C-alpha cells in the first residue's frame, strides 16, 4: 500500500496541475492582454488629439435682448409702456419718461408695439420659442444668446425677485426649445451672456462671488460647464467647447468694461475685475491656439470708445487683433440696431490720433444708457465713467439743449468710418477686427434674429503636440490670479508702436476654410401685419441674407472690409446704403417717418423736441 500510495501521489498531483493550468491559462492571457492594451493607451493616447467630428449642421443661431414683459397688455398705450389701456392721467403719471415723444405714441397690439417704449409681449415670446423649437432644435449646432432677459424698469417698478424670475423663465424656454425630446436633456449647446438689465438695479454689478452671479450661475447651470462654475461665480464669464476639439465660444461679462457700471473700475490696474477678465480671455485663447482651435467672442455691450472704459477698450482691441488668426467673430447685442463696425490697429494704441474714426453708438431704448459726453468725469485710473448726478435731458452743446445727435449726422459719421478703411490692396487685414451687432427680439424695431451658416468641411489637420491632461482641465485649472499681466508680447506696446501679428494665410477668419462663417439669414416678424390678425400666429420671415443682399461669399474680415468700401464708394445716395439703412432699423423706417409726420404736432406741437430719426441712436461720437 505505501508503495502504491507513493506511486499514485505524483500522478494525482500532475493531473491536478494539468487541469488547473488548462482552466487558468485563458484568464491569465486575458489579464495580460488587458494590461498590455492599458499600457499602450497610457503611452500613446492623447485626449487632445483631434477626435472625429460629430454630425454637424453647419449652422448656429444668435438671439439677443428678449426683454419679456409680463405686465404687457394688448391695446395698452405706448406712453404707459403698454401697461395701461386708459389714457386719462397718463400725461401726469408718465410725463417724465426720458424717451422721444414718437416712442410714446400709439397702442400695443397683441403681438407687440414696434417703435415704442414697450417691451416684448409674452404672446410674442412664447411664439418665438415655439418657432425655434419646431424649426431649429435639430438644425443648429449651437446658440449664442447675448443677454437682457428681463423687462426695463418702466411704469411698474422692477424688483430683484422679478428680474431673477424672468431670467429663470427665459432660461427654461431655451432648455425646452433645445432639448432632446426623449431624454429631456439639452442637446444643443447654448451660451448665454449677462445683459445690463439682467440685474437689479440695472447696469450695476461688482466682482463676485455675489448674489447676482450666484443666482445666475444656478439659473444657467444647464448651459455653463461644471468646470466653469467657479469662474462664472467669480467674474460672470465662461468658455464652452461647442464643437469638441475644434471651436470654443467665450462668453464675456461686458459689464466689467461698461462705463454705466458704477461698480467697475476699468482695466488699468492688475487687480481690477476688467483686467482679470481680459487676462483670463487672453489665456483661454492662447491655450486654445495650442490645440489648433478657433473661437467666437460674445457678450452684451459691444466694445466702443463711448461705452467701454478707455483702458478696457484698448486692451480688448489688442487681444482681438493679437488672436485675429483664430477668432472667427465678435458678436454682441444691446444696441438693437443691425450694423457692423471695425476696431483698427491705430485705435488701440495708448495715444490714438485725434481724428480716429472708431464708431461709438449708444443704446436707443434703455434710458440708463443714454448719456452725453459732458457727463463723464475722470476717475483715478484715467478711465471715464458716467456722472450719475447729471441728467442727459439737461445736457447742452453750444448753449442749446440737446437730447441726441441728429440721425443724419450719425449716418455721415458711419459712412466716414467705412471710408477710413483703406482698400484691401493697401492695408493689412490683420490690423482690423469686425464687431457685429445683432438686432433684438424687443420691438424697438421689428423682432429679429439671425441664423449663421459656416463651412463644416474639415480639409486638413494641423495638430500641435500638447499635454496629456484631461480635456476639461485646460479650463478648470485656470484662475485669473495665476495668469501673468506682462507686456503684450506680439501686439501693441504701451508706447503705441505696432508689431506684426501672427500670420496664418489659411486662417478661417481671412480665408474660406473649415469653420469660416459663410453668411447669415436675418429673420423678422412684421408686427404691423401680425397685429392685424391677433389670433393667428405670425410668420418669421426672411428679411435678407448677406449672400443675396450684400453679395458676400463669406463673412471673413476681408469680405467685411470689401463691403465697407463698397458702401463708402456709393455714398448716401447709393442703393447699397439704402439697404444698410433700412436693415439697420429692421423694417420700421416708414413707421417712424409716418409718426414724425403725423404725431409730433399732437404731442406738445412738436416744439422743443427733435424728430424721431434723431433718436434712433444717441451719442454718436467716434
Amino acid at each position: 500500500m505505501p508503495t502504491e500510495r507513493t506511486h499514485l501521489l505524483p500522478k494525482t498531483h500532475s493531473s491536478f496541475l494539468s487541469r488547473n493550468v488548462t482552466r487558468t491559462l485563458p484568464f491569465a492571457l486575458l489579464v495580460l492582454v488587458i494590461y498590455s492594451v492599458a499600457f499602450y493607451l497610457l503611452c500613446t493616447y492623447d485626449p487632445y488629439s483631434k477626435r472625429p467630428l460629430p454630425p454637424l449642421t453647419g449652422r448656429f443661431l444668435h438671439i439677443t435682448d428678449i426683454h419679456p414683459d409680463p405686465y404687457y397688455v394688448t391695446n395698452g398705450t405706448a406712453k404707459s409702456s403698454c401697461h395701461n389701456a386708459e389714457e386719462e392721467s397718463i400725461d401726469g403719471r408718465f410725463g417724465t419718461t426720458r424717451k422721444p415723444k414718437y416712442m410714446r405714441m400709439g397702442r400695443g397690439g397683441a403681438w407687440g408695439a414696434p417703435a415704442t417704449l414697450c417691451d416684448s409681449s409674452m404672446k410674442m415670446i412664447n411664439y418665438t420659442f415655439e418657432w425655434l423649437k419646431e424649426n431649429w432644435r435639430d438644425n443648429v449646432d449651437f446658440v449664442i444668446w447675448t443677454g437682457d432677459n428681463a423687462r426695463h424698469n418702466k411704469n411698474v417698478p422692477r424688483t430683484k425677485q422679478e428680474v431673477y424670475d424672468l431670467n429663470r423663465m427665459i432660461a427654461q424656454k431655451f432648455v425646452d426649445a433645445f432639448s432632446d425630446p426623449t431624454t429631456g436633456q439639452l442637446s444643443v449647446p447654448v451660451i448665454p451672456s449677462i445683459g445690463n438689465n439682467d440685474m437689479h438695479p440695472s447696469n450695476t454689478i461688482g466682482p463676485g462671488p455675489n448674489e447676482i452671479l450666484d443666482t445666475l450661475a444656478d439659473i444657467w447651470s444647464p448651459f455653463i460647464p461644471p468646470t466653469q462654475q467657479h469662474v462664472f461665480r467669480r467674474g460672470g464669464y465662461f468658455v464652452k467647447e461647442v464643437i469638441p476639439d475644434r471651436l470654443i465660444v467665450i462668453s464675456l461679462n461686458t459689464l466689467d468694461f461698461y462705463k454705466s457700471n458704477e461698480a467697475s473700475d476699468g482695466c488699468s490696474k492688475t487687480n481690477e475685475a476688467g483686467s482679470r477678465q481680459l487676462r483670463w480671455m487672453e489665456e483661454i485663447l492662447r491655450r486654445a491656439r495650442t490645440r489648433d482651435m478657433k473661437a467666437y467672442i460674445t457678450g452684451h455691450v459691444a466694445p466702443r470708445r463711448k461705452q467701454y472704459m478707455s483702458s478696457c477698450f484698448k486692451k480688448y482691441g489688442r487681444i482681438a487683433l493679437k488672436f485675429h488668426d483664430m477668432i472667427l467673430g465678435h458678436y454682441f447685442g444691446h444696441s438693437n440696431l443691425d450694423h457692423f463696425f471695425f476696431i483698427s490697429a491705430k485705435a488701440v494704441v495708448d495715444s490714438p490720433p485725434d481724428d480716429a474714426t472708431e464708431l461709438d453708438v449708444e443704446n436707443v431704448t434703455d434710458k440708463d444708457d443714454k448719456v452725453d459726453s459732458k457727463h463723464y468725469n475722470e476717475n483715478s485710473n484715467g478711465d471715464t465713467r458716467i456722472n450719475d448726478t447729471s441728467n442727459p435731458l439737461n445736457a447742452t452743446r453750444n448753449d442749446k439743449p440737446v437730447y441726441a445727435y441728429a440721425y443724419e449726422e450719425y449716418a455721415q459719421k458711419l459712412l466716414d468710418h467705412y471710408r477710413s478703411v483703406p482698400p484691401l490692396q493697401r492695408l493689412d487685414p490683420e490690423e482690423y477686427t469686425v464687431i457685429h451687432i445683432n438686432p433684438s427680439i424687443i420691438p424697438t424695431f421689428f423682432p429679429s434674429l439671425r441664423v449663421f451658416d459656416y463651412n463644416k468641411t474639415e480639409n486638413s489637420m494641423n495638430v500641435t503636440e500638447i499635454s496629456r491632461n484631461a480635456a476639461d482641465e485646460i479650463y478648470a485649472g485656470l484662475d485669473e490670479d495665476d495668469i501673468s499681466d506682462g507686456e503684450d508680447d506680439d501686439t501693441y506696446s504701451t508706447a503705441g508702436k505696432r508689431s506684426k501679428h501672427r500670420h496664418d494665410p489659411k486662417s478661417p477668419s481671412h480665408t474660406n476654410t473649415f469653420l469660416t462663417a459663410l453668411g447669415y439669414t436675418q429673420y423678422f416678424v412684421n408686427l404691423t401685419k401680425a397685429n392685424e390678425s391677433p389670433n393667428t400666429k405670425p410668420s418669421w420671415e426672411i428679411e435678407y441674407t448677406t449672400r443675396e443682399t450684400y453679395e458676400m461669399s463669406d463673412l471673413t474680415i476681408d469680405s467685411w472690409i470689401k463691403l465697407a468700401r463698397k458702401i463708402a464708394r456709393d455714398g448716401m445716395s447709393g442703393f447699397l446704403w439704402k439697404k444698410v439703412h433700412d436693415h439697420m432699423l429692421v423694417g420700421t423706417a416708414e413707421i417712424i417717418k409716418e409718426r414724425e409726420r403725423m404725431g409730433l404736432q399732437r404731442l406738445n406741437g412738436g416744439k422743443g423736441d427733435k424728430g424721431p430719426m434723431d433718436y434712433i441712436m444717441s451719442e454718436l461720437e467716434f
Side-chain angles (χ1 to χ4, degrees), residues 24-51:
T24 59
L25 183 59
F27 177 75
L29 290 174
L30 179 62
V31 172
L32 180 61
V33 169
I34 292 174
Y35 273 93
S36 298
V37 171
F39 180 77
Y40 173 79
L41 291 176
L42 182 65
C43 294
T44 62
Y45 175 68
D46 188 342
Y48 290 154
S49 63
K50 299 295 185 183
R51 290 171 277 175

Side-chain angles (χ1 to χ4, degrees), residues 345-516:
K346 68 179 181 180
V348 298
V349 297
D350 280 0
S351 300
D354 292 337
D355 61 348
T357 51
E358 297 302 318
L359 182 63
D360 291 290
V361 185
E362 281 290 288
N363 183 358
V364 307
T365 64
D366 189 343
K367 67 182 178 64
D368 297 323
D369 301 332
K370 188 178 289 186
V371 296
D372 185 272
S373 59
K374 296 279 186 181
H375 308 299
Y376 290 133
N377 55 31
E378 298 292 325
N379 64 16
S380 59
N381 62 19
D383 285 316
T384 57
R385 67 163 61 257
I386 296 169
N387 181 347
D388 61 345
T389 62
S390 60
N391 183 350
L393 291 178
N394 297 328
T396 60
R397 185 170 286 106
N398 297 326
D399 298 325
K400 296 180 180 179
V402 295
Y403 294 82
Y405 287 88
Y407 175 76
E408 291 306 323
E409 181 180 346
Y410 163 77
Q412 184 62 57
K413 288 188 176 184
L414 180 61
L415 199 59
D416 290 343
H417 175 69
Y418 292 155
R419 284 172 175 158
S420 72
V421 181
L424 275 172
Q425 61 269 26
R426 288 184 14 222
L427 62 72
D428 184 351
E430 297 166 6
E431 294 196 348
Y432 284 82
T433 194
V434 187
I435 306 299
H436 303 274
I437 308 298
N438 204 81
S440 308
I441 297 298
I442 184 177
T444 306
F445 311 115
F446 287 148
S448 52
L449 52 80
R450 289 175 178 170
V451 176
F452 289 79
D453 297 286
Y454 68 90
N455 187 332
K456 64 176 181 177
T457 303
E458 190 168 36
N459 298 317
S460 62
M461 297 290 206
N462 181 24
V463 183
T464 306
E465 183 178 354
I466 51 182
S467 73
R468 301 179 182 279
N469 296 328
D472 283 346
E473 291 183 3
I474 197 167
Y475 309 124
L478 184 59
D479 191 284
E480 305 95 312
D481 290 339
D482 297 331
I483 304 169
S484 64
D485 194 31
E487 297 294 329
D488 296 326
D489 53 1
D490 60 353
T491 180
Y492 304 98
S493 70
T494 55
K497 297 180 180 179
R498 297 197 292 271
S499 57
K500 279 304 271 185
H501 293 293
R502 180 189 186 106
H503 179 67
D504 180 1
K506 296 182 179 180
S507 166
S509 60
H510 293 283
T511 303
N512 182 1
T513 184
F514 178 55
L515 295 179
T516 297

Side-chain angles (χ1 to χ4, degrees), residues 27 129 149 166 325 341:
F27 177 75
F129 281 94
N149 312 303
L166 289 173
D325 60 306
F341 60 91

Side-chain angles (χ1 to χ4, degrees), residues 321-336:
L321 293 168
K322 181 176 181 177
F323 292 92
H324 72 92
D325 60 306
M326 59 172 295
I327 297 177
L328 303 179
H330 303 254
Y331 295 141
F332 297 88
H334 184 62
S335 298
N336 302 316

